[in-house]
Amino acid sequence: MSDTHVSDAPPPQTSLKSLTGQPLDHIFPTLTPAQIARIDAHGRRRMVRRGEVLANQGDSGVPFYVVIRGYLDIVKPSGSGDVLLAVHGPGQFTGEVNMLSGRRALARAQVREDGEVIEVEREQMLMLVQTDSEISEIVLRAFIFRRLEMIAHGLGDVVLLGSTHCAGTLRVKEFLTRNGHPYAYIDLDRDADVQLLLDRFNIVPNDVPVLICRGELVLRNPTNRQIAECLGFNESIDQTHIRDVVIVGAGPSGLAAAVYAASEGLDVLVLESNAPGGQAGSSSKIENYLGFPMGISGNELTGRAYTQAQKFGAQVMIAQGATKLSCDRKPYAIEVESGPRIPARTIIIATGAEYRKLSIDNLDEFENAGVYYGATFIEAQLCGGEDVIVIGGGNSAGQAAVFMAQTAKHVHLLVRSTGLADSMSRYLIRRIEDNPNITLRTSTEIVGLEGREHLERVQWRDNRTGDLDTREIRHIFVMTGAAPTTRWLDGCVTVDPRGFIKTGMDLTPDDLTAAKWPLPRAPHLLETSLPGVFAVGDVRGGNIKRVASAVGEGAIAVAFVHQVLHE
Ligand SMILES: Cc1cc2nc3c(=O)[nH]c(=O)nc-3n(C[C@H](O)[C@H](O)[C@H](O)COP(=O)(O)OP(=O)(O)OC[C@H]3O[C@@H](n4cnc5c(N)ncnc54)[C@H](O)[C@@H]3O)c2cc1C
C-alpha cells in the first residue's frame, strides 16, 4: 500500500500486494477487445477528465466502469491519508462484491488521466454477468478476490474496537465476517495508544465494543441491526412490492432456494434475522459435502452461495428477521422486526434450527464470553494454548473437538451418553481416538459455571460415580443439537409433536382438515398445510440434518413454487 500520488509518469498497474496469494492478473484482469466489445453493448462510452470522481466511498448503486483510454485510481480514504488500492488501465474494470448487492462503495474511483470509459449501470452489469459466462467468470472472480484482499488488509469502512473479554466483540466480529464485510480491528487489551482515540470519542468501558462506521458514526455496543443499517446492507432493497417468493432464512437451504429461484427468473427476497450461513456458517470444516474432498469451512461455502444468489439477482435482507406470518389471506404477508410488511405470492420457510442450551441458571452471563455455539477460526483465536471443553456426541461436536485440538492445549469432549458410536460418524470417532490432545469423558455433564466478566471455572459431574470435578477452564463449545425455529409462525402451519413443520405426504387427511386445506389437490412435496408455503432444511419434519439435504430441498421447493405460481 502507498499514499495516493498523481503524476505524469506512467502509473504502475497496481500498488496492492496480494495477502491472499491470488495472482494479480486474476484480481485485476485485463479484458480482451472482443470482451470489451460485448460490454460496450450494455453501456455507454464517455470521456472522463483528470480528477473526476466516478464513485465515492459510501455511494450506492454505483455503475461499473471499463477503462478504454487513460487510468483510474481506486482510493480508500482513511483518517491517516488516502490509500491507493489500485490503478486500472486500459481493458481493466472497477468494482467488487458490493456491486452485486447494490451496497455502498467501499472505495473512491477517481480519474488519474484524461481518457475514455464504458459506463454500465448496475442493472445492466447484473444482466451481463447472468448471460455472458466468460465475462461473468472473469468479473466475479475479480470481485471476490478484491473483497478477500480488502478483508485481509482490514480495508473496510469500519473500525472495530473490542476486547476478547467482551461478549459483544465476538458477536460483532462474527456478524461482519459472515457478511464478508472487511474491517480493521483494534484490540483494546493490547493497544495502549488507543486510549487517546477512546478519549476523543468519550468512550467508557461499558460502551465496548465500539464500531466506527464510515469514519463518522460511532456506534457503542451496537446491535447487528444497527450495524446493518449503518453500513447500508439493506438500503437498496424495495420491501413493498409483491415478490414471487420470499425465503425466510439464509442458511444452506434458504440460499440454495434463492440461487435456483433467482436463476430461474423469479423475483426473490430472502429475509435473514442474523447473517447468512445458518448453522453451517458456524462449522470450521465441512468434509462430507459433495465436491469438496479437502473439506471447506461452512463460512466459505455459504459465503460463495450468498454471492451466487446475488449474482442471479436475489435480494437478501440482513439482520431483519420474520416476526409473524399473516396467513389468513393472499397474498401472504410477512412482518419483520422493523419496516413494512412484506407481501409474497409464495413463501419458503428455511429458518432451520436453534442450538439447544445447557440447563444452567447463569448460562446467559457467559454466552460469547466463554460459552460458544460455533467453532470457527474466530473462536479458535480466543482460546489458543488453553484447555477447552466441547459438549455433545454428534458430528458437529466431533468436528469442533478435532478442530480445536489443533490450537488448544487440551480438549475435553463431554457426552452424557456412554459412548459416541451411536451418534457420530466413524471417521470422526477414529480421529478423536487417535488424537492425544482430546480426552473423551462419557456419562459426564457440566453442572456449574463461574467467573466475573468471562467464564473462569467449570464444574462437571461424572454421572456414574457422582464425582464432581472443578477445572480452571475458560472456553466451552456447546454442540448439543438444535430445536426448530418456528415460533414466528404462530400456528399458521401444521407441526409434528417435536415442533418440526409437516410437509407433503406427512400431512394426514386429519391434518389437512384441521388446517382447512382449500384445494382439490394434495400438498406438493415440501409444501406445508398452507398452499404455496413450503418448508425446507432443518426446520422440516423428517429432514436429514445435513448441508446436502438442506441444499437439495431448497432446490426442489423452487420447482413446486413455479407450479403454484401457475395455478
Ligand atoms: C457446528 C456445526 C457443524 C456442522 N457440520 C456439518 C457437516 O460437516 N456436514 C453436514 O452435512 N452438516 C453439518 N451440520 C448441519 C448443517 O449445518 C445443517 O443441517 C444445515 O445448516 C441446515 O441448513 P438450514 O438452511 O436448513 O438451516 P440453518 O443452517 O439453521 O439456517 C437457518 C437460518 O435461518 C435464520 N432464521 C431463523 N429464524 C429466522 C427468522 N424468523 N427470520 C429470518 N431468518 C431466520 C437463521 O439465522 C439461520 O441463518 C453442522 C451443524 C453445526 C451447528
Side-chain angles (χ1 to χ4, degrees), residues 178 248-254 271-280 282-283 285-288 320-323 350-353 355 373-375 396 399 427 479 485 488 536-539 544-548 550:
R178 280 206 185 195
V248 187
S253 62
L271 300 175
E272 168 52 53
S273 56
N274 185 24
Q279 295 168 73
S282 62
S283 167
K285 202 171 192 187
I286 295 173
E287 293 194 65
N288 55 1
Q320 197 59 274
T323 52
T351 46
Y355 313 116
Y373 298 95
S396 54
Q399 271 175 20
Y427 81 95
M479 305 279 163
T485 318
W488 66 282
V536 295
D538 277 16
V539 76
I544 305 296
K545 308 285 179 261
R546 291 275 183 276
V547 175

Side-chain angles (χ1 to χ4, degrees), residues 142-162:
F143 280 8
I144 291 167
F145 287 173
R146 288 175 191 178
R147 174 56 69 96
L148 291 176
E149 286 296 338
M150 293 187 82
I151 291 172
H153 285 275
L155 280 171
D157 46 2
V158 166
V159 180
L160 176 66
L161 294 93

Side-chain angles (χ1 to χ4, degrees), residues 189-237:
D189 304 324
R190 293 188 189 170
D191 199 330
D193 295 342
V194 97
Q195 193 58 46
L196 275 176
L197 193 70
L198 295 185
D199 293 346
R200 204 173 124 205
F201 291 107
N202 296 325
I203 290 164
V204 297
N206 278 351
D207 293 334
V208 174
V210 173
L211 195 99
I212 304 176
C213 189
R214 293 181 281 118
E216 303 160 0
L217 261 180
V218 178
L219 302 178
R220 292 153 202 245
N221 196 7
T223 62
N224 290 352
R225 181 141 18 106
Q226 284 172 316
I227 300 172
E229 269 167 25
C230 174
L231 295 176
F233 281 178
N234 301 325
E235 67 187 7
S236 63
I237 299 177

